């Protein structure tokens, strides 16, 4: 188990993905995504896709609470997947969106809000 990146029971084996991708703010997750390559996106999607229904089921109705770091980390991992998957599925592994402005120019006002 990767220390500090524990997930809820039943999701063992995803800790390495959590260590790499799960962060509490959109800004932090974007920084990882902007520096990822095609292999990173492919590996993330390959590992996450079969586990996604279980994670989403676990998080259905979940109200983020600072008192449950494992559940929060699961939510952060699912958010990271939602943000990264298009880069694997639609953008050929590029961290940029083709035929668009540089996404690093977009700074979400809520980007520092913690999950």
């Amino acid at each position: 188990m990767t220390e500090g990146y524990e997930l809820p029971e039943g999701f063992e084996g995803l800790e390495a993905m959590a260590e790499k991708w799960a962060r509490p703010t959109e800004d932090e997750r974007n920084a990882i995504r902007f520096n990822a390559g095609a292999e990173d996106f492919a590996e993330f999607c390959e590992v996450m896709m079969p586990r996604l229904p279980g994670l989403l089921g676990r998080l259905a109705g979940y109200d983020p609470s600072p008192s449950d770091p494992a559940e929060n980390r699961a939510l952060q991992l699912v958010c990271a997947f939602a943000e990264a998957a298009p880069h694997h599925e639609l953008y050929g592994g590029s961290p940029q969106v083709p035929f668009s402005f540089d996404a690093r120019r977009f700074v979400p006002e809520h980007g520092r809000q913690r999950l």
Side-chain angles (χ1 to χ4, degrees):
M1 180 179 306
T2 306
E3 188 66 35
Y5 289 93
E6 293 85 6
L7 293 164
E9 185 177 333
F11 298 99
E12 297 82 7
L14 293 178
E15 288 92 351
M17 292 294 109
E19 182 176 9
K20 182 170 185 169
W21 293 91
R23 297 295 180 275
T25 70
E26 185 176 357
D27 285 351
E28 291 173 276
R29 292 189 305 275
N30 280 342
I32 293 166
R33 184 170 51 86
F34 294 148
N35 291 299
E39 299 82 21
D40 300 310
F41 292 124
E43 177 188 27
F44 191 34
C45 288
E46 183 179 316
V47 170
M48 286 292 293
M49 281 301 287
R51 306 298 302 274
L52 196 58
L55 277 167
L56 292 173
R58 172 79 183 227
L59 293 170
Y62 172 66
D63 183 21
S65 163
S67 64
D68 196 342
E71 294 283 340
N72 284 347
R73 199 164 300 101
L75 177 60
Q76 295 164 10
L77 188 60
V78 168
C79 288
F81 176 78
E83 295 158 354
H87 296 274
H88 173 65
E89 296 176 355
L90 303 173
Y91 310 144
S94 171
Q96 296 298 320
V97 177
F99 309 109
S100 179
F101 65 90
D102 186 343
R104 291 173 286 205
R105 290 178 42 205
F106 175 72
V107 179
E109 189 172 303
H110 63 275
R112 292 184 181 93
Q113 183 177 347
R114 297 179 71 80
L115 291 178

